[in-house]
Structure formats: C-alpha cells, structure tokens
Amino acid sequence: MPRGHNAASTIEARQRREAYMEKFHAEQAVQDRQTHTVNWELKGNERFQRQEVLQYMDEIQAQHNDVLVARRRRLAELLNSENALHTSMMASLPETDAQRRERLIRKAQELRAKREEAKKVDNGARHDRLFREKIDCLRQAESRLRVMQVADARFDQIEAAATRKKAEDEEDKFFSQQAADAQRLATERVQRDLELQYNRTERMKGDLAAQVAGNQQRKAQEKDEARRDAEEFYRLLHEEQAAEAQKKLARREKNRTIVREMMEINDELQKTRQQEYDALRKEDKEQLDAILASIKADQEAERKEKQRRMAAEQLQMRDLQHQMAQRKDNSHALDKMWEEENEKQWRKREAQWDADQAKRDTLLRNILIARRQQILDKRQQAAKDAMQRKLEDEEFLKSLANERDIDAEERERRMRLLKETQQYLEMQIQRRAAEREADLRGRRSELTDQQALEKQYEDRIAKEMANLEAAKPSRYSHVPLLPSKNRLH
C-alpha cells in the first residue's frame, strides 16, 4: 500500500480519536456537573435533616427539663412533708432523745455483758475439750465411756426388740387362729356351693336331652320340606330350559336371515365403491398432467430470467472496472501530496530534536561542574575533620595523665568494707552468746513453775476422771474406764 495512503489513514484515525475524546470530555463534564448538582442536593438534604433532628432533640430536651423541674418540685414537697411528719412524731414520743439514748446505751451494755459471759463459757468449754483431747488417759477413758454408753443403749434396744418380738408372736398366733377359722368356714361354704352346682348340672342335662330330641325331630321335618322344595325347583327349571331352547332356535333362524341380507348389501356396496374409485383415479391423472405442464413452463421462464441477469451483471462489472482505473489515477496524485507534507513535518521534528539535544548537553555540563565542586568541598571538610580529631585525641591524653589512680581508691574501699564486715560478725557472736546465757538462766528459774503446773494438771485430770466415772451406765459400774496400768493413783 502507498505511504501517502497510510498517512491519510493515520490523520483520519487521529481526527476520529480527537473527535471521540472531545465528545468524551464533553460528556464527562456534563456528568461531573450533574454529579456536583446531586451531591449539593444530597448535602443540602442532609443539612436540613440534621437541623430537623437537632430541633427535635431540643424540643425533647426541653420536655425533659420541664419534667425534671416538676419532679424536683414534687420531691421537695415530699421531703418537706416527711420532715414535718418526723418532727411531729418525735414531738409526740413519751421519752426524749436523751432518755432514749441512755436506754439504748444500757441495753447495749447488758447485751455486751451477756455476750462476754457466753463467750467466757464457750471459751471454758473449748479449753476443757482441748485439755481432754491432749491428755491420752482422759481421751481413752472418754472413748471407753462412749463405748459403754453405746453398749448400754444397744442392750436396751435388744430388750425392746425382744419385747416387741414377743408381742408380735402373740399377735401372729391370734391371727393364725382367726385365719384357720376363716379357712374352715370357707371350706364349708365351698362344699355347699359344689353340691348346689351339681344339682343344677343334673337338671341342665335333663333339659338338654329334651332339647336334643326336639331338635332332631325338627331337623327331620326341615329335611322333608327341603326335599320337596328341591323337586319342585328342578321341575320348574326343566320347563324353563325347554322354553329357552325353543327361543334360541327361533333367534338363530332369524340371525341367519339377517346375515344373508347383509351379505347382499355388502356386495352392492363393494361394486359401487369400485366404480367411484376408478372415476377418482382418472380425475387425479388428469390433474397431475396439468401440474407437470405448468411446472415445465415455469422452469423455462426461470432459465430465461437467469440469462438476462447474467448479462446485466457482466455489463455492471465492466463499468466497475472502468471506475477503478479512474480512482487509481486519482490516488497517485493524492499520495504525492501526502509525501510532500510528511517531508515538511519530518524536517520540523528533526529541528526540534536538535534543539532538545543541545539543551540536554548544556544541562549535563552544568551538572558535571557542580558535582566536581561538591567533591572538592567534601575533601576539604574531611581534612578539617581529621585535624580536629587529632587535636581532641591529644587533649584527651593530656587529661589522662593528670587524673589520679582509680584502682588504688577501689582497693582502699574494699578494705574498709572488709573491716566493717568483720566488726559486724564479732558483734553478732557476742549477742548470740548473751542470748544463750539469758536463756539458760530463764530455764533454771522456770523449773519450779513447771512443777506447780504439773500438779494443777494432775488435779484437773483426776476431776475429769471422776466426772467420767459418774457418767458411766449402771450396767457397767464395775467396769473400769482405764486399764490398770493407765489408771491414776
């Protein structure tokens, strides 16, 4: 395809694209305006709704405030009425506040005294229980006492059970006698019932024999009647069968006559149908010949019409070839014009490219110069920094030479700590020795107190044992609470 034709197609495509983009931007602008309009309307509606909601909330808040004020007023009135009622009640009391306070104080003191007394009693009981639990002999004696009490209660239960068993045996004996009497009476009653039943059975047998004889006689009569009925039935049946046979013969003869008539009618119908079929066949053949002739004429007309159309198409094709030749000459001229226009555009682009390249070269040279200057500045700064660090190192070394020895001070501090620790340990040893000596003196002085306490415990144990002995059941009064080796003397 020629180059000019490609350029024309490109220009047309660009024009179509520009037209499409203009149309697109126009539609986009219209859509944006519509969107802004809708957004503005929506925001306006939201603002109006928000204002309405705020107004409604203000109204509700005002109503709540009114209700709150009314409630506060009612509460104030109620409080005033309650205060007045309380004042009147206090004024009508028979005793004053001071008297009531004194009465309550006395009552509280009495309650406190009672509580203290009950607490003392409870504590005493707890101490006694703990004392008994700590002493083995008392605990063992109390255990044996409980065993004795349980055994005594068990013996009482056994005696009560024996008494109850004896009463139950007597009751069972009485009920057994009653049951025997009832059984005897029941046996006699059953015997009488059996005799009555036997008599009734004998009477029933006689009645049944009479009924059987009557039934046999009645069956014989029924059999004779049935025989006579059967003979009469068979006679009537034979007569009906003879009459039915005669009727069948008459019907059969009549059917034969009807069949002969139907056969004659069918023969006539068959002949008539054959004649009609021949006539219809002849008519169909004539119609078919006419149809074939018309089809042949139509085919001839179609063939002529087809030849005419082919001639017209050939003429049209020759005209089209002539037009194509003319269009080809015109396209050569148009291609030449497009080539000239493309050359002009190409020269313009080359000039623009040269100008852009010159600008880029200038910019690159400026960047290189600036970068070289930056590198020189960095090197100078690095040299200055190195000199500064060197001076700082020299000053640091001088300061180290003037400082004192830190290790020597640390050693002195450790020695002081060791001395202080040694002094503290010596004080601890002395204090523990003094405590041990004081403990020894206290133990020597406590021996006499311990003996008195032991005597008190022995008296208390003897008292508890006496109480336990008194609590023994009478049945086990001769049984000791403790074995001989554990009893106190």
Side-chain angles (χ1 to χ4, degrees), residues 15 50 74 110-111 123 153 186 245 263 294 319 375 412 462 477:
Q15 290 176 354
R50 193 181 301 111
R74 288 195 302 272
E110 292 175 359
L111 292 174
N123 290 334
M263 289 176 67
S294 63
D319 294 338
I375 292 170
E412 292 177 359
S477 59

Side-chain angles (χ1 to χ4, degrees), residues 442-458:
R443 288 181 181 178
R444 290 174 181 175
S445 62
E446 287 177 357
L447 290 176
T448 56
D449 297 337
Q450 185 68 25
Q451 292 174 357
L453 185 61
E454 289 178 357
K455 179 63 176 173
Q456 183 179 358
Y457 281 166
E458 289 177 358

Side-chain angles (χ1 to χ4, degrees), residues 52-87:
E52 291 177 356
V53 170
L54 292 174
Q55 185 177 0
Y56 179 72
M57 290 177 66
D58 292 338
E59 293 177 357
I60 297 297
Q61 187 65 34
Q63 294 177 2
H64 288 176
N65 293 334
D66 296 339
V67 172
L68 182 61
V69 170
R71 185 179 179 185
R72 288 176 178 173
R73 184 169 57 254
R74 288 195 302 272
L75 290 174
E77 293 175 356
L78 182 61
L79 180 61
N80 293 330
S81 62
E82 289 180 354
N83 288 331
L85 180 61
H86 180 264
T87 304

Side-chain angles (χ1 to χ4, degrees), residues 335-377:
D335 291 340
K336 187 175 181 181
M337 291 174 63
W338 281 114
E339 288 177 359
E340 293 176 356
E341 184 66 25
N342 286 332
E343 289 294 334
K344 292 180 181 179
Q345 294 293 332
W346 183 257
R347 285 194 295 272
K348 289 181 180 180
R349 290 180 182 178
E350 287 180 349
Q352 183 67 30
W353 289 344
D354 294 337
D356 294 340
Q357 185 65 32
K359 290 180 181 179
R360 284 195 292 272
D361 294 340
T362 304
L363 180 61
L364 181 60
R365 284 195 298 273
N366 295 332
I367 291 171
L368 290 173
I369 293 169
R371 182 60 180 167
R372 191 179 295 110
Q373 186 64 35
Q374 290 177 1
I375 292 170
L376 293 174
D377 294 340

Side-chain angles (χ1 to χ4, degrees), residues 214-359:
N215 290 333
Q216 290 177 355
Q217 186 178 2
R218 189 168 54 255
K219 285 182 180 179
Q221 293 177 359
E222 290 177 355
K223 188 180 291 185
D224 293 338
E225 292 177 358
R227 183 175 55 78
R228 288 194 297 270
D229 292 338
E231 291 176 355
E232 183 67 20
F233 173 74
Y234 285 127
R235 185 180 63 77
L236 295 174
L237 181 62
H238 182 68
E239 292 177 357
E240 290 179 359
Q241 287 178 353
E244 187 68 24
Q246 292 178 0
K247 290 179 181 180
K248 284 183 179 180
L249 290 174
R251 284 198 300 271
R252 190 176 298 168
E253 186 65 26
K254 186 177 181 180
N255 290 333
R256 287 196 187 99
T257 305
I258 293 171
V259 167
R260 284 195 297 270
E261 292 177 355
M262 291 296 296
M263 289 176 67
E264 292 175 357
I265 293 170
N266 289 332
D267 292 338
E268 292 178 358
L269 289 173
Q270 186 70 24
K271 292 178 181 179
T272 304
R273 288 178 181 175
Q274 186 65 33
Q275 293 175 0
E276 291 178 355
Y277 177 73
D278 294 338
L280 290 173
R281 187 175 180 183
K282 185 177 180 180
E283 291 177 359
D284 292 339
K285 185 177 181 181
E286 292 176 355
Q287 291 178 359
L288 182 61
D289 293 338
I291 291 169
L292 291 174
S294 63
I295 290 171
K296 186 175 181 180
D298 293 338
Q299 290 178 354
E300 185 66 22
E302 288 179 358
R303 185 177 61 77
K304 292 179 179 180
E305 181 66 22
K306 186 175 181 181
Q307 291 177 357
R308 186 184 62 78
R309 284 200 301 270
M310 289 177 65
E313 288 178 358
Q314 290 177 0
L315 181 61
Q316 186 177 2
M317 182 62 70
R318 286 194 295 271
D319 294 338
L320 184 60
Q321 289 177 358
H322 182 67
Q323 291 177 3
M324 289 293 292
Q326 291 180 356
R327 288 183 181 178
K328 188 175 181 181
D329 296 336
N330 295 331
S331 64
H332 284 299
L334 186 60
D335 291 340
K336 187 175 181 181
M337 291 174 63
W338 281 114
E339 288 177 359
E340 293 176 356
E341 184 66 25
N342 286 332
E343 289 294 334
K344 292 180 181 179
Q345 294 293 332
W346 183 257
R347 285 194 295 272
K348 289 181 180 180
R349 290 180 182 178
E350 287 180 349
Q352 183 67 30
W353 289 344
D354 294 337
D356 294 340
Q357 185 65 32
K359 290 180 181 179

